[in-house]
Amino acid sequence: MTATPFTELAASRHSVRSFRPDPVPADVLDAIVDDARHAPSWSNTRPYQVALATGARADRLRAAYVERFDQTLDVQHKKRGSMARMVLTGKIPDGDYPVWRRYPADLRPRSVEVGTGLYAHMGIAREDRAARDEAARANCRAFNAPVMGFVFVHKGLMPFAALDAGLMLQTLFLAAASRGVDSCALGTLATWRGPVDAEFDVPDDYRLITGFALGYADDAPVNGFRAPRRPLVLVPAKRPDEQEG
Ligand SMILES: Cc1cc2nc3c(=O)[nH]c(=O)nc-3n(C[C@H](O)[C@H](O)[C@H](O)COP(=O)(O)O)c2cc1C
Protein backbone atom coordinates (compact mmCIF):
# COMPACT_ATOMS: atom_id res chain seq x y z
CA MET A 1 0.00 0.00 0.00
CA THR A 2 1.49 3.39 -0.93
CA ALA A 3 1.39 6.21 1.60
CA THR A 4 -0.94 9.10 0.78
CA PRO A 5 0.46 12.62 0.90
CA PHE A 6 -1.54 13.05 4.10
CA THR A 7 0.10 10.00 5.71
CA GLU A 8 3.49 11.37 4.72
CA LEU A 9 2.68 14.78 6.18
CA ALA A 10 1.32 13.34 9.43
CA ALA A 11 4.32 11.02 9.78
CA SER A 12 6.80 13.80 9.03
CA ARG A 13 5.60 15.97 11.90
CA HIS A 14 7.65 15.31 14.98
CA SER A 15 8.64 17.29 18.03
CA VAL A 16 11.64 19.52 17.35
CA ARG A 17 13.73 20.51 20.38
CA SER A 18 16.36 22.82 18.93
CA PHE A 19 15.51 25.68 16.56
CA ARG A 20 17.42 28.02 14.28
CA PRO A 21 16.94 31.71 15.16
CA ASP A 22 15.40 32.47 11.73
CA PRO A 23 11.95 34.02 12.19
CA VAL A 24 8.84 32.49 10.68
CA PRO A 25 7.74 35.10 8.10
CA ALA A 26 4.55 36.89 9.18
CA ASP A 27 2.57 35.74 6.13
CA VAL A 28 3.54 32.10 6.76
CA LEU A 29 2.56 32.35 10.43
CA ASP A 30 -0.75 33.99 9.47
CA ALA A 31 -1.49 31.19 7.00
CA ILE A 32 -0.74 28.51 9.61
CA VAL A 33 -3.04 30.18 12.15
CA ASP A 34 -5.71 30.58 9.50
CA ASP A 35 -5.57 26.86 8.63
CA ALA A 36 -6.12 26.00 12.29
CA ARG A 37 -9.68 27.34 12.07
CA HIS A 38 -10.63 24.26 10.06
CA ALA A 39 -10.47 22.10 13.19
CA PRO A 40 -13.81 20.75 14.44
CA SER A 41 -15.04 21.75 17.89
CA TRP A 42 -17.76 20.97 20.39
CA SER A 43 -20.96 22.56 19.01
CA ASN A 44 -18.67 24.84 16.98
CA THR A 45 -17.84 26.79 20.11
CA ARG A 46 -14.05 26.86 19.56
CA PRO A 47 -13.63 27.10 23.31
CA TYR A 48 -9.96 28.15 23.19
CA GLN A 49 -7.74 31.11 22.47
CA VAL A 50 -4.10 31.23 21.41
CA ALA A 51 -1.41 33.78 22.29
CA LEU A 52 1.66 34.10 20.08
CA ALA A 53 4.92 35.72 21.09
CA THR A 54 7.88 36.56 18.87
CA GLY A 55 10.95 38.77 19.10
CA ALA A 56 11.54 40.71 22.32
CA ARG A 57 8.28 39.46 23.88
CA ALA A 58 9.31 35.84 23.36
CA ASP A 59 12.74 36.61 24.82
CA ARG A 60 11.16 38.18 27.93
CA LEU A 61 8.99 35.09 28.31
CA ARG A 62 12.02 32.78 28.00
CA ALA A 63 13.84 34.74 30.72
CA ALA A 64 10.78 34.70 33.00
CA TYR A 65 10.23 30.96 32.54
CA VAL A 66 13.90 30.14 33.17
CA GLU A 67 13.78 32.21 36.36
CA ARG A 68 10.69 30.30 37.56
CA PHE A 69 12.25 27.00 36.61
CA ASP A 70 15.45 27.73 38.52
CA GLN A 71 13.41 28.62 41.60
CA THR A 72 12.07 25.05 41.63
CA LEU A 73 15.35 23.22 41.14
CA ASP A 74 15.65 22.10 44.76
CA VAL A 75 12.18 20.59 44.63
CA GLN A 76 12.97 18.86 41.38
CA HIS A 77 16.14 17.51 42.97
CA LYS A 78 13.94 16.33 45.87
CA LYS A 79 16.10 18.18 48.42
CA ARG A 80 14.88 17.80 52.00
CA GLY A 81 12.56 20.58 53.08
CA SER A 82 12.53 22.12 49.61
CA MET A 83 8.77 21.77 49.17
CA ALA A 84 8.11 23.54 52.50
CA ARG A 85 10.58 26.28 51.54
CA MET A 86 8.85 26.72 48.20
CA VAL A 87 5.48 27.10 49.91
CA LEU A 88 6.83 29.51 52.54
CA THR A 89 8.55 31.72 49.98
CA GLY A 90 5.42 31.78 47.78
CA LYS A 91 7.27 30.23 44.84
CA ILE A 92 4.78 27.43 44.20
CA PRO A 93 4.12 27.08 40.46
CA ASP A 94 1.07 29.19 39.62
CA GLY A 95 -0.15 27.21 36.62
CA ASP A 96 -3.88 26.69 36.12
CA TYR A 97 -3.52 22.90 36.10
CA PRO A 98 -1.09 20.70 38.01
CA VAL A 99 1.62 19.71 35.56
CA TRP A 100 3.81 17.81 38.03
CA ARG A 101 1.48 14.89 38.46
CA ARG A 102 2.38 11.27 38.73
CA TYR A 103 1.33 9.35 35.64
CA PRO A 104 -1.22 6.55 35.92
CA ALA A 105 0.66 3.27 36.46
CA ASP A 106 -0.28 1.86 33.05
CA LEU A 107 0.92 4.99 31.20
CA ARG A 108 4.04 5.74 33.18
CA PRO A 109 6.23 3.18 31.32
CA ARG A 110 5.54 4.99 28.05
CA SER A 111 6.57 8.31 29.52
CA VAL A 112 9.71 6.76 31.01
CA GLU A 113 10.50 5.12 27.67
CA VAL A 114 10.33 8.37 25.72
CA GLY A 115 12.20 10.29 28.43
CA THR A 116 15.06 7.81 28.71
CA GLY A 117 15.18 7.42 24.92
CA LEU A 118 15.43 11.17 24.44
CA TYR A 119 18.16 11.63 27.07
CA ALA A 120 20.11 8.64 25.73
CA HIS A 121 19.86 10.13 22.25
CA MET A 122 21.22 13.42 23.63
CA GLY A 123 24.05 11.52 25.34
CA ILE A 124 22.91 12.62 28.81
CA ALA A 125 23.66 10.07 31.53
CA ARG A 126 21.10 9.45 34.24
CA GLU A 127 23.44 10.71 36.96
CA ASP A 128 24.45 13.89 35.06
CA ARG A 129 22.14 16.20 36.94
CA ALA A 130 23.54 19.42 35.47
CA ALA A 131 22.98 18.21 31.92
CA ARG A 132 19.49 17.01 32.76
CA ASP A 133 18.65 20.35 34.35
CA GLU A 134 19.94 22.16 31.28
CA ALA A 135 17.84 19.95 28.99
CA ALA A 136 14.77 20.67 31.11
CA ARG A 137 15.61 24.39 31.17
CA ALA A 138 15.71 24.39 27.36
CA ASN A 139 11.95 23.67 27.45
CA CYS A 140 11.51 26.97 29.30
CA ARG A 141 13.30 28.74 26.47
CA ALA A 142 10.93 27.00 24.04
CA PHE A 143 14.12 25.52 22.60
CA ASN A 144 14.92 29.03 21.30
CA ALA A 145 12.12 28.82 18.75
CA PRO A 146 11.28 32.19 17.16
CA VAL A 147 7.56 31.71 17.90
CA MET A 148 6.22 30.82 21.35
CA GLY A 149 2.56 29.90 21.52
CA PHE A 150 0.15 29.47 24.43
CA VAL A 151 -3.19 27.67 24.33
CA PHE A 152 -5.99 28.67 26.70
CA VAL A 153 -9.20 26.71 27.19
CA HIS A 154 -12.55 27.92 28.48
CA LYS A 155 -12.97 26.63 32.03
CA GLY A 156 -16.75 26.39 31.55
CA LEU A 157 -16.54 23.76 28.82
CA MET A 158 -14.07 21.29 30.19
CA PRO A 159 -13.14 18.57 29.34
CA PHE A 160 -14.43 19.23 25.83
CA ALA A 161 -12.52 22.48 25.57
CA ALA A 162 -9.27 20.56 26.12
CA LEU A 163 -10.26 18.05 23.46
CA ASP A 164 -11.06 20.84 21.02
CA ALA A 165 -7.81 22.63 21.79
CA GLY A 166 -5.93 19.42 20.96
CA LEU A 167 -7.74 19.09 17.65
CA MET A 168 -6.92 22.70 16.84
CA LEU A 169 -3.27 22.35 17.86
CA GLN A 170 -2.64 19.29 15.72
CA THR A 171 -4.32 21.04 12.78
CA LEU A 172 -2.00 23.99 13.42
CA PHE A 173 1.06 21.70 13.65
CA LEU A 174 0.18 19.94 10.39
CA ALA A 175 -0.47 23.29 8.72
CA ALA A 176 2.99 24.30 9.91
CA ALA A 177 4.57 21.05 8.71
CA SER A 178 2.99 21.51 5.28
CA ARG A 179 4.92 24.81 5.05
CA GLY A 180 8.20 23.39 6.31
CA VAL A 181 7.71 24.91 9.78
CA ASP A 182 8.61 22.67 12.72
CA SER A 183 6.86 22.50 16.06
CA CYS A 184 6.85 21.14 19.58
CA ALA A 185 4.03 21.17 22.12
CA LEU A 186 5.32 22.49 25.45
CA GLY A 187 3.23 21.38 28.39
CA THR A 188 6.14 22.51 30.58
CA LEU A 189 5.13 26.13 29.97
CA ALA A 190 1.74 25.50 31.60
CA THR A 191 3.54 24.95 34.90
CA TRP A 192 3.51 28.72 35.39
CA ARG A 193 0.90 31.30 34.51
CA GLY A 194 2.57 34.51 35.74
CA PRO A 195 4.95 35.01 32.80
CA VAL A 196 2.08 34.85 30.29
CA ASP A 197 -0.13 37.19 32.31
CA ALA A 198 2.70 39.73 32.33
CA GLU A 199 2.57 39.80 28.51
CA PHE A 200 -1.04 39.10 27.48
CA ASP A 201 -4.55 40.12 28.55
CA VAL A 202 -6.00 36.64 28.90
CA PRO A 203 -9.80 36.67 29.39
CA ASP A 204 -10.90 35.62 32.90
CA ASP A 205 -12.54 32.33 31.96
CA TYR A 206 -9.56 30.97 30.07
CA ARG A 207 -7.00 28.58 31.53
CA LEU A 208 -3.52 27.88 30.21
CA ILE A 209 -3.36 24.25 29.09
CA THR A 210 -0.13 24.10 27.09
CA GLY A 211 2.50 26.12 25.31
CA PHE A 212 4.12 25.31 22.01
CA ALA A 213 7.03 26.30 19.80
CA LEU A 214 7.18 26.99 16.07
CA GLY A 215 10.22 27.57 13.89
CA TYR A 216 12.84 25.80 11.84
CA ALA A 217 14.81 22.82 13.15
CA ASP A 218 18.58 23.19 13.35
CA ASP A 219 20.90 20.22 12.90
CA ALA A 220 21.38 19.48 16.63
CA PRO A 221 21.45 15.73 17.35
CA VAL A 222 18.32 16.02 19.54
CA ASN A 223 16.27 16.64 16.42
CA GLY A 224 17.21 13.19 15.12
CA PHE A 225 15.26 11.58 17.96
CA ARG A 226 12.03 9.83 17.01
CA ALA A 227 9.52 8.78 19.64
CA PRO A 228 7.92 5.36 19.24
CA ARG A 229 4.55 5.54 17.49
CA ARG A 230 2.36 2.77 18.71
CA PRO A 231 -0.73 1.72 16.80
CA LEU A 232 -4.01 3.04 18.20
CA VAL A 233 -5.37 0.77 20.89
CA LEU A 234 -8.75 -0.50 19.71
CA VAL A 235 -11.06 -1.51 22.51
CA PRO A 236 -12.09 -5.13 22.02
CA ALA A 237 -15.76 -5.78 21.34
CA LYS A 238 -17.67 -7.90 23.85
CA ARG A 239 -19.00 -10.31 21.28
CA PRO A 240 -18.12 -11.00 17.65
CA ASP A 241 -19.65 -8.72 15.03
CA GLU A 242 -22.77 -10.35 13.52
CA GLN A 243 -21.23 -10.27 10.06
CA GLU A 244 -18.21 -12.19 11.34
CA GLY A 245 -20.60 -15.00 12.20
C1 LIG B 1 0.15 18.54 25.22
C2 LIG B 1 1.58 18.16 24.95
C3 LIG B 1 2.58 18.71 25.74
C4 LIG B 1 3.93 18.40 25.50
N1 LIG B 1 4.89 18.97 26.26
C5 LIG B 1 6.20 18.75 25.98
C6 LIG B 1 7.22 19.42 26.71
O1 LIG B 1 6.97 20.19 27.63
N2 LIG B 1 8.51 19.18 26.35
C7 LIG B 1 8.83 18.34 25.32
O2 LIG B 1 10.03 18.21 25.03
N3 LIG B 1 7.89 17.69 24.60
C8 LIG B 1 6.59 17.89 24.91
N4 LIG B 1 5.60 17.27 24.17
C9 LIG B 1 5.99 16.44 23.03
C10 LIG B 1 5.80 14.94 23.30
O3 LIG B 1 6.82 14.48 24.14
C11 LIG B 1 5.82 14.24 21.94
O4 LIG B 1 4.68 14.66 21.20
C12 LIG B 1 5.80 12.72 22.05
O5 LIG B 1 6.95 12.25 22.70
C13 LIG B 1 5.71 12.08 20.65
O6 LIG B 1 6.77 12.53 19.86
P1 LIG B 1 6.53 13.27 18.46
O7 LIG B 1 5.78 14.55 18.76
O8 LIG B 1 7.92 13.53 17.95
O9 LIG B 1 5.74 12.35 17.62
C14 LIG B 1 4.25 17.51 24.43
C15 LIG B 1 3.24 16.98 23.64
C16 LIG B 1 1.93 17.30 23.89
C17 LIG B 1 0.86 16.73 22.99
Side-chain angles (χ1 to χ4, degrees), residues 10-17 99 110-111 114-115 118 135-136 138-140 143 166 169-170 173 183-191 209-212 225-229:
S12 74
R13 185 222 51 87
H14 63 275
S15 295
V16 159
R17 296 184 174 90
V99 171
R110 299 182 184 179
S111 169
V114 80
L118 182 62
N139 284 258
C140 297
F143 307 119
L169 195 56
Q170 170 71 338
F173 284 171
S183 59
C184 188
L186 278 166
T188 307
L189 299 183
T191 313
I209 195 155
T210 190
F212 64 92
F225 177 72
R226 292 294 177 274
R229 288 183 169 171

Short mmCIF file of all heavy atoms in Angstrom, two decimals, residues 10-17 99 110-111 114-115 118 135-136 138-140 143 166 169-170 173 183-191 209-212 225-229, ligand 1:
data_model
loop_
_atom_site.label_atom_id
_atom_site.label_comp_id
_atom_site.label_asym_id
_atom_site.label_seq_id
_atom_site.Cartn_x
_atom_site.Cartn_y
_atom_site.Cartn_z
N ALA A 10 1.56 13.65 8.00
CA ALA A 10 1.32 13.34 9.43
C ALA A 10 2.53 12.63 10.03
O ALA A 10 2.93 12.90 11.17
CB ALA A 10 0.07 12.48 9.58
N ALA A 11 3.16 11.74 9.25
CA ALA A 11 4.32 11.02 9.78
C ALA A 11 5.54 11.92 9.88
O ALA A 11 6.41 11.72 10.74
CB ALA A 11 4.62 9.82 8.88
N SER A 12 5.60 12.94 9.03
CA SER A 12 6.80 13.80 9.03
C SER A 12 6.80 14.75 10.23
O SER A 12 7.85 15.18 10.68
CB SER A 12 6.89 14.62 7.74
OG SER A 12 5.92 15.66 7.75
N ARG A 13 5.63 15.09 10.73
CA ARG A 13 5.60 15.97 11.90
C ARG A 13 6.18 15.25 13.10
O ARG A 13 5.83 14.13 13.40
CB ARG A 13 4.17 16.41 12.24
CG ARG A 13 4.13 17.43 13.37
CD ARG A 13 3.02 17.18 14.37
NE ARG A 13 2.98 15.83 14.87
CZ ARG A 13 3.68 15.39 15.92
NH1 ARG A 13 4.48 16.17 16.60
NH2 ARG A 13 3.60 14.13 16.30
N HIS A 14 7.13 15.87 13.74
CA HIS A 14 7.65 15.31 14.98
C HIS A 14 8.10 16.48 15.85
O HIS A 14 8.24 17.61 15.35
CB HIS A 14 8.82 14.34 14.71
CG HIS A 14 10.00 15.01 14.08
ND1 HIS A 14 10.08 15.20 12.71
CD2 HIS A 14 11.10 15.56 14.60
CE1 HIS A 14 11.21 15.84 12.44
NE2 HIS A 14 11.84 16.08 13.56
N SER A 15 8.28 16.21 17.11
CA SER A 15 8.64 17.29 18.03
C SER A 15 10.09 17.69 17.82
O SER A 15 10.99 16.85 17.91
CB SER A 15 8.42 16.83 19.48
OG SER A 15 7.04 16.61 19.69
N VAL A 16 10.29 18.97 17.56
CA VAL A 16 11.64 19.52 17.35
C VAL A 16 12.06 20.24 18.63
O VAL A 16 11.28 20.99 19.22
CB VAL A 16 11.62 20.45 16.11
CG1 VAL A 16 12.77 21.44 16.13
CG2 VAL A 16 11.65 19.60 14.85
N ARG A 17 13.29 19.97 19.08
CA ARG A 17 13.73 20.51 20.38
C ARG A 17 15.01 21.33 20.29
O ARG A 17 15.70 21.51 21.28
CB ARG A 17 13.87 19.36 21.38
CG ARG A 17 12.52 18.67 21.66
CD ARG A 17 12.61 17.59 22.72
NE ARG A 17 11.30 17.06 23.05
CZ ARG A 17 10.74 16.02 22.43
NH1 ARG A 17 11.37 15.42 21.43
NH2 ARG A 17 9.54 15.59 22.80
N VAL A 99 0.84 20.37 36.62
CA VAL A 99 1.62 19.71 35.56
C VAL A 99 2.49 18.59 36.16
O VAL A 99 2.70 17.56 35.53
CB VAL A 99 2.49 20.75 34.82
CG1 VAL A 99 3.47 20.10 33.87
CG2 VAL A 99 1.60 21.73 34.06
N ARG A 110 5.38 4.33 29.35
CA ARG A 110 5.54 4.99 28.05
C ARG A 110 6.28 6.31 28.21
O ARG A 110 7.11 6.68 27.38
CB ARG A 110 4.17 5.26 27.43
CG ARG A 110 3.38 4.02 27.17
CD ARG A 110 2.07 4.38 26.52
NE ARG A 110 1.23 3.22 26.35
CZ ARG A 110 0.01 3.25 25.83
NH1 ARG A 110 -0.50 4.41 25.45
NH2 ARG A 110 -0.68 2.16 25.68
N SER A 111 5.92 7.04 29.27
CA SER A 111 6.57 8.31 29.52
C SER A 111 8.05 8.09 29.85
O SER A 111 8.93 8.81 29.35
CB SER A 111 5.85 9.01 30.68
OG SER A 111 6.58 10.11 31.12
N VAL A 114 10.00 7.26 26.61
CA VAL A 114 10.33 8.37 25.72
C VAL A 114 11.37 9.28 26.38
O VAL A 114 12.28 9.80 25.72
CB VAL A 114 9.08 9.14 25.24
CG1 VAL A 114 8.56 10.12 26.28
CG2 VAL A 114 9.34 9.86 23.94
N GLY A 115 11.25 9.45 27.70
CA GLY A 115 12.20 10.29 28.43
C GLY A 115 13.61 9.71 28.40
O GLY A 115 14.58 10.40 28.07
N LEU A 118 15.01 9.82 24.85
CA LEU A 118 15.43 11.17 24.44
C LEU A 118 16.78 11.53 25.08
O LEU A 118 17.69 12.00 24.40
CB LEU A 118 14.35 12.18 24.86
CG LEU A 118 14.58 13.64 24.49
CD1 LEU A 118 14.65 13.81 22.98
CD2 LEU A 118 13.45 14.50 25.04
N ALA A 135 18.80 20.43 30.00
CA ALA A 135 17.84 19.95 28.99
C ALA A 135 16.42 20.36 29.37
O ALA A 135 15.62 20.77 28.52
CB ALA A 135 17.95 18.44 28.83
N ALA A 136 16.12 20.28 30.65
CA ALA A 136 14.77 20.67 31.11
C ALA A 136 14.59 22.19 30.97
O ALA A 136 13.53 22.68 30.56
CB ALA A 136 14.56 20.24 32.56
N ALA A 138 15.88 24.05 28.78
CA ALA A 138 15.71 24.39 27.36
C ALA A 138 14.22 24.43 26.98
O ALA A 138 13.81 25.19 26.10
CB ALA A 138 16.46 23.39 26.48
N ASN A 139 13.41 23.60 27.66
CA ASN A 139 11.95 23.67 27.45
C ASN A 139 11.44 25.07 27.76
O ASN A 139 10.57 25.60 27.08
CB ASN A 139 11.22 22.70 28.40
CG ASN A 139 11.33 21.26 27.97
OD1 ASN A 139 10.40 20.71 27.41
ND2 ASN A 139 12.48 20.63 28.20
N CYS A 140 11.98 25.64 28.85
CA CYS A 140 11.51 26.97 29.30
C CYS A 140 11.90 28.06 28.32
O CYS A 140 11.28 29.12 28.30
CB CYS A 140 12.07 27.27 30.69
SG CYS A 140 11.47 26.11 31.91
N PHE A 143 13.06 26.03 23.48
CA PHE A 143 14.12 25.52 22.60
C PHE A 143 14.60 26.61 21.62
O PHE A 143 15.00 26.32 20.50
CB PHE A 143 13.66 24.28 21.84
CG PHE A 143 13.12 23.19 22.74
CD1 PHE A 143 11.80 22.76 22.61
CD2 PHE A 143 13.91 22.61 23.71
CE1 PHE A 143 11.30 21.76 23.44
CE2 PHE A 143 13.41 21.61 24.55
CZ PHE A 143 12.10 21.19 24.41
N GLY A 166 -6.86 20.41 21.53
CA GLY A 166 -5.93 19.42 20.96
C GLY A 166 -6.16 19.25 19.47
O GLY A 166 -5.20 19.17 18.69
N LEU A 169 -4.73 22.26 17.84
CA LEU A 169 -3.27 22.35 17.86
C LEU A 169 -2.64 21.39 16.84
O LEU A 169 -1.67 21.73 16.17
CB LEU A 169 -2.76 22.07 19.28
CG LEU A 169 -1.31 22.46 19.56
CD1 LEU A 169 -1.05 23.93 19.25
CD2 LEU A 169 -0.93 22.15 21.01
N GLN A 170 -3.20 20.20 16.72
CA GLN A 170 -2.64 19.29 15.72
C GLN A 170 -2.91 19.82 14.30
O GLN A 170 -2.06 19.70 13.42
CB GLN A 170 -3.21 17.87 15.89
CG GLN A 170 -2.88 16.89 14.76
CD GLN A 170 -1.40 16.46 14.73
OE1 GLN A 170 -0.54 17.14 15.24
NE2 GLN A 170 -1.13 15.33 14.09
N PHE A 173 -0.26 22.32 13.85
CA PHE A 173 1.06 21.70 13.65
C PHE A 173 1.18 21.13 12.23
O PHE A 173 2.24 21.22 11.61
CB PHE A 173 1.29 20.58 14.68
CG PHE A 173 1.62 21.06 16.07
CD1 PHE A 173 1.68 20.17 17.14
CD2 PHE A 173 1.90 22.40 16.33
CE1 PHE A 173 2.00 20.61 18.42
CE2 PHE A 173 2.22 22.85 17.61
CZ PHE A 173 2.27 21.94 18.66
N SER A 183 7.63 22.18 14.86
CA SER A 183 6.86 22.50 16.06
C SER A 183 7.22 21.58 17.22
O SER A 183 7.82 20.52 17.02
CB SER A 183 5.36 22.34 15.75
OG SER A 183 5.10 21.00 15.34
N CYS A 184 6.83 22.02 18.41
CA CYS A 184 6.85 21.14 19.58
C CYS A 184 5.80 21.66 20.56
O CYS A 184 5.77 22.87 20.86
CB CYS A 184 8.22 21.14 20.26
SG CYS A 184 8.35 19.89 21.59
N ALA A 185 4.94 20.78 21.03
CA ALA A 185 4.03 21.17 22.12
C ALA A 185 4.87 21.31 23.38
O ALA A 185 5.86 20.58 23.57
CB ALA A 185 2.95 20.11 22.30
N LEU A 186 4.51 22.22 24.25
CA LEU A 186 5.32 22.49 25.45
C LEU A 186 4.43 22.59 26.68
O LEU A 186 4.14 23.69 27.17
CB LEU A 186 6.11 23.79 25.26
CG LEU A 186 7.41 23.65 24.47
CD1 LEU A 186 7.94 25.00 24.04
CD2 LEU A 186 8.46 22.91 25.31
N GLY A 187 4.01 21.41 27.16
CA GLY A 187 3.23 21.38 28.39
C GLY A 187 3.98 22.01 29.55
O GLY A 187 3.38 22.58 30.46
N THR A 188 5.30 21.92 29.51
CA THR A 188 6.14 22.51 30.58
C THR A 188 5.74 23.96 30.86
O THR A 188 5.73 24.40 32.01
CB THR A 188 7.63 22.49 30.16
OG1 THR A 188 7.98 21.17 29.78
CG2 THR A 188 8.53 22.99 31.27
N LEU A 189 5.42 24.70 29.79
CA LEU A 189 5.13 26.13 29.97
C LEU A 189 3.84 26.36 30.76
O LEU A 189 3.63 27.46 31.29
CB LEU A 189 5.07 26.84 28.61
CG LEU A 189 6.37 26.81 27.79
CD1 LEU A 189 6.21 27.61 26.50
CD2 LEU A 189 7.56 27.33 28.59
N ALA A 190 2.98 25.34 30.83
CA ALA A 190 1.74 25.50 31.60
C ALA A 190 1.98 25.34 33.10
O ALA A 190 1.06 25.49 33.90
CB ALA A 190 0.69 24.50 31.13
N THR A 191 3.22 25.04 33.47
CA THR A 191 3.54 24.95 34.90
C THR A 191 3.34 26.30 35.59
O THR A 191 3.00 26.38 36.76
CB THR A 191 5.02 24.50 35.09
OG1 THR A 191 5.28 23.38 34.24
CG2 THR A 191 5.31 24.12 36.53
N ILE A 209 -3.46 25.71 29.10
CA ILE A 209 -3.36 24.25 29.09
C ILE A 209 -2.04 23.76 28.52
O ILE A 209 -1.53 22.71 28.94
CB ILE A 209 -4.58 23.59 28.40
CG1 ILE A 209 -4.63 22.11 28.74
CG2 ILE A 209 -4.61 23.82 26.91
CD1 ILE A 209 -5.99 21.49 28.66
N THR A 210 -1.46 24.49 27.59
CA THR A 210 -0.13 24.10 27.09
C THR A 210 0.49 25.27 26.33
O THR A 210 -0.21 26.18 25.87
CB THR A 210 -0.20 22.86 26.16
OG1 THR A 210 1.14 22.39 25.89
CG2 THR A 210 -0.85 23.17 24.83
N GLY A 211 1.79 25.21 26.21
CA GLY A 211 2.50 26.12 25.31
C GLY A 211 2.93 25.33 24.09
O GLY A 211 2.71 24.12 24.00
N PHE A 212 3.53 26.02 23.15
CA PHE A 212 4.12 25.31 22.01
C PHE A 212 5.16 26.21 21.34
O PHE A 212 5.22 27.43 21.60
CB PHE A 212 3.05 24.84 21.02
CG PHE A 212 2.26 25.93 20.34
CD1 PHE A 212 2.65 26.45 19.11
CD2 PHE A 212 1.11 26.44 20.93
CE1 PHE A 212 1.91 27.45 18.48
CE2 PHE A 212 0.35 27.43 20.31
CZ PHE A 212 0.76 27.94 19.08
N PHE A 225 16.01 12.54 17.12
CA PHE A 225 15.26 11.58 17.96
C PHE A 225 13.86 11.38 17.40
O PHE A 225 13.20 12.33 16.98
CB PHE A 225 15.16 12.11 19.40
CG PHE A 225 14.34 11.23 20.29
CD1 PHE A 225 14.81 10.00 20.72
CD2 PHE A 225 13.06 11.62 20.68
CE1 PHE A 225 14.05 9.18 21.53
CE2 PHE A 225 12.29 10.80 21.50
CZ PHE A 225 12.78 9.58 21.92
N ARG A 226 13.42 10.12 17.41
CA ARG A 226 12.03 9.83 17.01
C ARG A 226 11.38 9.00 18.11
O ARG A 226 11.88 7.95 18.48
CB ARG A 226 11.97 9.05 15.69
CG ARG A 226 12.41 9.86 14.48
CD ARG A 226 11.45 11.03 14.18
NE ARG A 226 11.93 11.83 13.05
CZ ARG A 226 12.80 12.83 13.13
NH1 ARG A 226 13.29 13.20 14.31
NH2 ARG A 226 13.19 13.50 12.06
N ALA A 227 10.27 9.50 18.60
CA ALA A 227 9.52 8.78 19.64
C ALA A 227 8.81 7.59 19.00
O ALA A 227 8.41 7.66 17.83
CB ALA A 227 8.50 9.71 20.28
N PRO A 228 8.67 6.50 19.78
CA PRO A 228 7.92 5.36 19.24
C PRO A 228 6.48 5.77 18.91
O PRO A 228 5.89 6.57 19.64
CB PRO A 228 7.92 4.34 20.38
CG PRO A 228 8.79 4.87 21.46
CD PRO A 228 9.09 6.31 21.17
N ARG A 229 5.95 5.24 17.84
CA ARG A 229 4.55 5.54 17.49
C ARG A 229 3.76 4.24 17.46
O ARG A 229 3.76 3.52 16.49
CB ARG A 229 4.50 6.25 16.15
CG ARG A 229 5.01 7.67 16.31
CD ARG A 229 4.95 8.48 15.08
NE ARG A 229 5.22 9.87 15.43
CZ ARG A 229 5.40 10.82 14.56
NH1 ARG A 229 5.34 10.56 13.27
NH2 ARG A 229 5.64 12.05 14.95
C1 LIG B 1 0.15 18.54 25.22
C2 LIG B 1 1.58 18.16 24.95
C3 LIG B 1 2.58 18.71 25.74
C4 LIG B 1 3.93 18.40 25.50
N1 LIG B 1 4.89 18.97 26.26
C5 LIG B 1 6.20 18.75 25.98
C6 LIG B 1 7.22 19.42 26.71
O1 LIG B 1 6.97 20.19 27.63
N2 LIG B 1 8.51 19.18 26.35
C7 LIG B 1 8.83 18.34 25.32
O2 LIG B 1 10.03 18.21 25.03
N3 LIG B 1 7.89 17.69 24.60
C8 LIG B 1 6.59 17.89 24.91
N4 LIG B 1 5.60 17.27 24.17
C9 LIG B 1 5.99 16.44 23.03
C10 LIG B 1 5.80 14.94 23.30
O3 LIG B 1 6.82 14.48 24.14
C11 LIG B 1 5.82 14.24 21.94
O4 LIG B 1 4.68 14.66 21.20
C12 LIG B 1 5.80 12.72 22.05
O5 LIG B 1 6.95 12.25 22.70
C13 LIG B 1 5.71 12.08 20.65
O6 LIG B 1 6.77 12.53 19.86
P1 LIG B 1 6.53 13.27 18.46
O7 LIG B 1 5.78 14.55 18.76
O8 LIG B 1 7.92 13.53 17.95
O9 LIG B 1 5.74 12.35 17.62
C14 LIG B 1 4.25 17.51 24.43
C15 LIG B 1 3.24 16.98 23.64
C16 LIG B 1 1.93 17.30 23.89
C17 LIG B 1 0.86 16.73 22.99
#
